[in-house]
Amino acid sequence: MKALLADLKMFVKTARHIESLCRGNLFLKLISAILDSVQPFVNIYMSAKIVDMLLSGFPMEEILVYVGITVGLHFSINMLNRLLWYFIRVRDNLLNNNYSRSKKAKVAELDYDLVDNVETQKTLNKIFQHENVNNGGILLFYYNAPNLIHQIFTVIFSVAMTFSLFVSPYPYVGSGVTKYVVTPYFGAFVLLLCVISVWISVHCSTKRAHYATNEWQKFTFCNQFLSSIFTVMYAAAGSMQVRIYNQKKRLLDALHVNAKMADAIGENISRYQLKHETIIMGITETVMQIVLYTFAGLGALVGRFSVGSIVKYISSILQFTNAVAAFVSILELLRYNNAMSKVYFDFIETPSHMYQGSLTVEKRSDRNYNVEFRDVSFRYPNTDFWALRHVDLKFNIGEKLAVVGMNGSGKTTMIKLMCRLYDPTEGQIFLNGIDIRKYDYKEYMLIFSVVFQDFKLFAFTLGENVATGTEYDEERVKACLVEANFGDRLATLEKGTKTYLYRNFEKDGVEISGGEAQKIALARALYKDAPFIILDEPTAALDPIAEAEVYSNFNKIVGDKTAIYISHRLSSCRFCDKIAVFDRGSIVQVGTHDELVADVNGKYHELWNAQAQYYSDKKEGCIAPLGMVEK
Ligand code: ADP
C-alpha cells in the first residue's frame, strides 16, 4: 500500500512537471481519453434502442430519427476528438522540445565539476537509454497516463450500463431451464463469474507486464552497447576509424547479435502472452459469453428486459473486463516507469553545491584587476591524488605570464580553478583581495577570455561564433579575425562573417581545419575583450608559419590585458614577463626566461634542453618552431 501511495505521488509529480513543460496538453489528452470511452457506449446504447424499436414495430420515421441521432453523435464525438488530436499533436512537439531542452538547460547550469563527473555522465546515459526503450520516463507517462483514465471511464460507463441486468425484478417462471436461470441466485452466480473473470484477466495482465518489463530490462544493457556503436559509426571521426581499421564487419556483427537479442526478447514476450494470457483469457471470455447470453437471452424471453438490451449488457460486460485488464497493465507499466522518471528528476533537481556568491565585480576602466592564488590545493572529484598542491601565485596587472610544465603537471587545472569551474579543495583564490567564491559567477566570468585546448565551435555563422551571439559588431568581428591571423581565409569566404561553419545546418557551410578553428577560437577570445586573456596551447593546431605570426603579434594581440599563456614550446614563452614552471601539481620555479634557463639544476633548464634536441640550432638552445620570425 505504501509503495502504491509513493507511486501515485510520483504520478502527480510527473503530471505537474509535464504541465510545466507544456501547459494544458495533458488536460487535452484527458478530454480525448474520456471521449474515447464514451464513443463505444453511445453506439452500444443506441443500437440496443434501435433493435428494440424495430422489434416493437415503431414507425420507420421515428426509428430513422434515432439512427440519425446515433450517426450524428458518433460523428460529433469523432470530429471533436480529431480536432483535439490536432492540437495535441502540435503541442506534442512543443512538449518533446521542452523536455529535451530541460535536460540541456540543466547540463548548462550544473556545477561544472558535476558535468565532469562520471556519475553524472552515467545518469545522462541512463536517461537516454530509457528514452530509447519505449520512450521510458516522463514521455512514457505522458503517452500512457491518459489511457489509464480512458480505462477508468470505460469501467464506470460499463457498470452504469449493466446495472439493470442484475437489479431488474425477476418475474416468477414456473418451468424448464428458465426456472433456474432467471433467478436472483443465477444473477449472483453471473456476478461472481464476472468477478472471477476480472480477477483472471488482472492476474494474467499483471504477470505478463512483469514478465515483459523483466525481459526488456535485459535489453537495457544491449541498448547501451548499441548506442555507443551508433555514436562511433555515425560520427565522421568514428566512421574514419571504422574504415582505416576495417571495423565494419565487427561492428555490424555486434549490432546483429544485439538485434537478435531484442528479437528473442520480443518473441519470448509474445510466447508468454499467448500461453499465459491470450489462451486463458480467450477461454474465460467464451465461458462468460455463454453464461451471459443465456442469462440475458432467457431474461429477455420472459420479459425481464428488452431484446435490444442483450447486446447492451454483453458488449458492456466485455468492455468492462477488457478495461479492467488494460487498466491494470497500464498501471503496472507506469509504476515500473516511475523508476525511469525518477532518474530524470534526480538529474534535473541536482542541487548546486558550489558557493553562490552575489558580489558584483567592480567595473574598472583601468583594468586594475589582481588575481592571487594563496596556498591552493585541488583534488578532482572521486580521485585521491592532488592535481595541484600548495600553489601560490599572483598575477600583476598587464603582465604576460607563461605557464610551462610537462603534461599532467596541473597547468590547465590551475586555469579551471581560476575560472571557478571548480572550487579549490584547500586554500583560496582572490580577485582584488576578495575570495572569488563571493562574486556572482556570471559577473566574475566577464573578466576572463579563455581559449581552452579542447575548445568547441558551433555550427552557427562565423560571426556568431566569434561574437557568441546573434547580434554583433561586424567590423570588430572582422578585426578580431584578422588579428587572430584568419584574415586571408576570411577574404576567400563569399558570405564573409555570415558563412556557416560546418554543414550541420547549411549545405553551403564550410568545413574548417583544426588550425583555422583555433584561429577562430582566438578571435572569439579577443572579441570578448576581457581584462584577462588565457590561452591554453593556443597554437597547437597551427602550422609553423601561422604559429610564428601569432607569436610575433602576441603583444599586439593581447594589448594591455593580463595574459596567461600555457605552452609546451618554451621558446614561445620568451616574450612573457614571467614564467611559472609546474611540476607534479606544484609551481617549482618562477622567473624570466633568462633567469630560469641559467638555473642549470632547475626544471626549466631540463625542459629547455630536452626540447632543444629536436631543433637544429642546439648551440643557442633555441627551440623556435620552424618558420618563426625571430626578432
Ligand atoms: P596539464 O594541463 O599540465 O597537462 P592538467 O591540469 O590537465 O595538466 O592535469 C593535472 C592532473 O589532473 C593530471 O594528473 C590529470 O590526469 C588530472 N586530471 C585532469 N583533468 C581531470 C579530471 N577531469 N578528472 C580527474 N583528473 C583529472
Side-chain angles (χ1 to χ4, degrees), residues 144-175:
N144 288 280
N147 204 356
L148 207 61
I149 306 297
H150 166 60
Q151 306 307 341
I152 291 175
F153 273 88
T154 303
V155 168
I156 294 172
F157 292 137
S158 51
V159 168
M161 287 275 200
T162 39
F163 196 64
S164 56
L165 174 69
F166 299 102
V167 298
S168 300
Y170 290 87
Y172 175 74
V173 184
S175 64

Side-chain angles (χ1 to χ4, degrees), residues 373-407:
F373 278 58
R374 218 177 277 168
D375 197 17
V376 169
S377 297
F378 178 69
R379 263 198 303 238
Y380 279 98
N382 308 321
T383 63
D384 54 7
F385 67 91
W386 293 101
L388 285 185
R389 198 67 183 133
H390 302 305
V391 170
D392 285 299
L393 195 63
K394 199 166 178 177
F395 306 105
N396 297 323
I397 308 309
E399 203 174 54
K400 319 269 176 278
L401 172 83
V403 178
V404 301
M406 309 232 289
N407 280 340

Side-chain angles (χ1 to χ4, degrees), residues 144 147-148 150-152 154-155 201-202 205-206 208-209 277 281 319-333:
N144 288 280
N147 204 356
L148 207 61
H150 166 60
Q151 306 307 341
I152 291 175
T154 303
V155 168
S201 60
V202 166
S205 301
T206 317
R208 196 247 312 129
E277 191 178 11
M281 280 175 63
Q319 288 271 351
F320 173 81
T321 47
N322 287 340
V324 174
F327 175 84
V328 171
S329 74
I330 297 165
L331 186 69
E332 281 301 314
L333 175 70

Side-chain angles (χ1 to χ4, degrees), residues 116 380 383 385 387 406-413 416 422 453:
D116 188 24
Y380 279 98
T383 63
F385 67 91
M406 309 232 289
N407 280 340
S409 58
K411 306 179 296 290
T412 305
T413 305
K416 287 181 179 169
Y422 300 90
Q453 273 181 59

